[in-house]
Amino acid sequence: MASYREFRKETLSRRRRRSAQRALRLVLAAAVLLGLAWVITWAIETIRGGGSTVDPNSTLDLGTTGLAGSVLAPLPMENPVTDTGGGVQFASMGPVQQAEGWSYTGLTYDKICLPACGRVDNSYFSTALFLGDSVTEGLGLYENPVKDVATVRGYRGATPGDVVNRVVMTDFNTSEQSVPLDVIAQTAPKSIYLMFGANALAARDDEATENSFIAYYGQMIDLVRQAAPDADIYVQTMTPVAADYASTGIYKARIQRVNEKLANMALEKGVYFVDVYSALADDNGDLLAEYSSDGLHMVAAGYKAWVDCLAGHVAYSADNPYVMGSEYYIAK
């Protein structure tokens, strides 16, 4: 007959074995659950067309999936509206910040363009600077809403490369010579409107010239941002030309193609892109006859239509001076 000591030893041994078995069963159960979870996740990702992890340094192609709202500034009417008793208040708006290292491709031109967003009065442009070539020069020459209101620097023959290389140029409205980047730093505008293209493209009609133009444009935006870090930057489309405009390298199909490239470049740089081309073109995509002076440059009516387009396509801000009747107007 076993002694009490032997009996107790055997009992403790059985308890340890049962504890070890329970622990082993728990480990096996957890492993099975984890395995099932992995299988389910894999199946879901496979059904969705995923099945692989996303490299944060890769390019995300949004295509036509309708995800543009996650990249671009949302429309005002898509934001919550509350009535606080002192008038309608809109939630904060603005371009969604892109994660460093990500780029977005596959968005169509119309998805990249800044949508209509209320309408501001002329006082908004008192803190704006327009920078471009002889096409922009007309904003300071002919009667239009920004003449003598905004700072206009239109340099004849100018290209983005001239801005990047700090070329001293002459503004024929003021006869002053200046370096555009210095003008930006000195005036400290709240918004900067850029338009270039005619001179850079006229030299040669090939893809290499277009790619060089876009590359310089991107460098120019980087330098403009350094000169005015707090300013909103707007890249404007090239304007249309008349159907019978005869100039090497400047014609409707090419302008439209370059505008597509400008749109994607603006998206990559995180700046606003405004379609003024459509506001100035007829049903065929040519510059409206009543706006044309020589097929490329415009008369006062064209510049007025240009500014009218810009006034209705300003990024939303509660501080914008919206005109009475605009959906965002609040009586002071």
Side-chain angles (χ1 to χ4, degrees), residues 27-45:
V27 170
L28 289 175
V32 171
L33 290 174
L34 288 173
L36 287 174
W38 182 88
V39 171
I40 293 171
T41 301
W42 175 84
I44 293 173
E45 291 298 325

Side-chain angles (χ1 to χ4, degrees), residues 202-276:
R204 192 179 303 166
D205 186 2
D206 57 30
E207 187 176 3
T209 299
E210 294 175 14
N211 292 339
S212 175
F213 166 68
I214 296 297
Y216 267 120
Y217 214 123
Q219 292 180 49
M220 177 178 66
I221 289 175
D222 292 338
L223 294 174
V224 167
R225 183 176 276 129
Q226 291 177 22
D230 297 326
D232 289 330
I233 300 175
Y234 294 83
V235 170
Q236 303 168 93
T237 57
M238 289 182 63
T239 54
V241 295
D244 59 352
Y245 183 70
S247 177
T248 303
I250 308 175
Y251 49 89
K252 177 173 64 178
R254 192 182 193 198
I255 292 174
Q256 291 174 337
R257 181 172 67 248
V258 170
N259 280 341
E260 290 278 357
K261 293 182 179 181
L262 282 172
N264 282 281
M265 182 272 301
L267 179 61
E268 179 182 348
K269 291 294 182 181
V271 298
Y272 297 110
F273 184 72
V274 185
D275 177 19
V276 298

Side-chain angles (χ1 to χ4, degrees), residues 159-172:
T159 69
D162 294 328
V163 178
V164 170
N165 293 315
R166 299 184 59 83
V167 174
V168 177
M169 292 181 283
T170 301
D171 174 14
F172 285 88

Side-chain angles (χ1 to χ4, degrees), residues 41-273:
T41 301
W42 175 84
I44 293 173
E45 291 298 325
T46 300
I47 293 171
R48 288 180 176 175
S52 63
T53 57
V54 178
D55 180 357
N57 295 317
S58 66
T59 296
L60 176 62
D61 190 345
L62 298 182
T64 56
T65 59
L67 296 177
S70 65
V71 181
L72 306 180
L75 293 173
M77 59 288 299
E78 295 174 342
N79 282 266
V81 181
T82 58
D83 191 343
T84 60
V88 175
Q89 301 294 322
F90 292 84
S92 60
M93 293 183 58
V96 176
Q97 297 300 314
Q98 299 178 8
E100 184 177 356
W102 283 79
S103 61
Y104 302 89
T105 61
L107 288 177
T108 55
Y109 178 89
D110 60 312
K111 295 292 192 305
I112 298 173
C113 293
L114 187 67
C117 193
R119 179 167 296 277
V120 297
D121 64 31
N122 291 350
S123 65
Y124 166 83
F125 295 104
S126 64
T127 57
L129 182 145
F130 289 82
L131 178 62
D133 52 30
S134 57
V135 176
T136 295
E137 180 187 356
L139 289 171
L141 181 64
Y142 299 102
E143 288 301 321
N144 66 84
V146 303
K147 185 178 184 292
D148 299 325
V149 175
T151 300
V152 178
R153 290 294 181 269
Y155 303 98
R156 295 181 188 179
T159 69
D162 294 328
V163 178
V164 170
N165 293 315
R166 299 184 59 83
V167 174
V168 177
M169 292 181 283
T170 301
D171 174 14
F172 285 88
N173 282 322
T174 63
S175 298
E176 295 179 359
Q177 290 188 324
S178 58
V179 174
L181 292 173
D182 291 344
V183 173
I184 293 173
Q186 292 163 6
T187 56
K190 291 184 178 179
S191 55
I192 300 172
Y193 289 85
L194 303 172
M195 182 186 286
F196 291 87
N199 302 292
L201 300 178
R204 192 179 303 166
D205 186 2
D206 57 30
E207 187 176 3
T209 299
E210 294 175 14
N211 292 339
S212 175
F213 166 68
I214 296 297
Y216 267 120
Y217 214 123
Q219 292 180 49
M220 177 178 66
I221 289 175
D222 292 338
L223 294 174
V224 167
R225 183 176 276 129
Q226 291 177 22
D230 297 326
D232 289 330
I233 300 175
Y234 294 83
V235 170
Q236 303 168 93
T237 57
M238 289 182 63
T239 54
V241 295
D244 59 352
Y245 183 70
S247 177
T248 303
I250 308 175
Y251 49 89
K252 177 173 64 178
R254 192 182 193 198
I255 292 174
Q256 291 174 337
R257 181 172 67 248
V258 170
N259 280 341
E260 290 278 357
K261 293 182 179 181
L262 282 172
N264 282 281
M265 182 272 301
L267 179 61
E268 179 182 348
K269 291 294 182 181
V271 298
Y272 297 110
F273 184 72

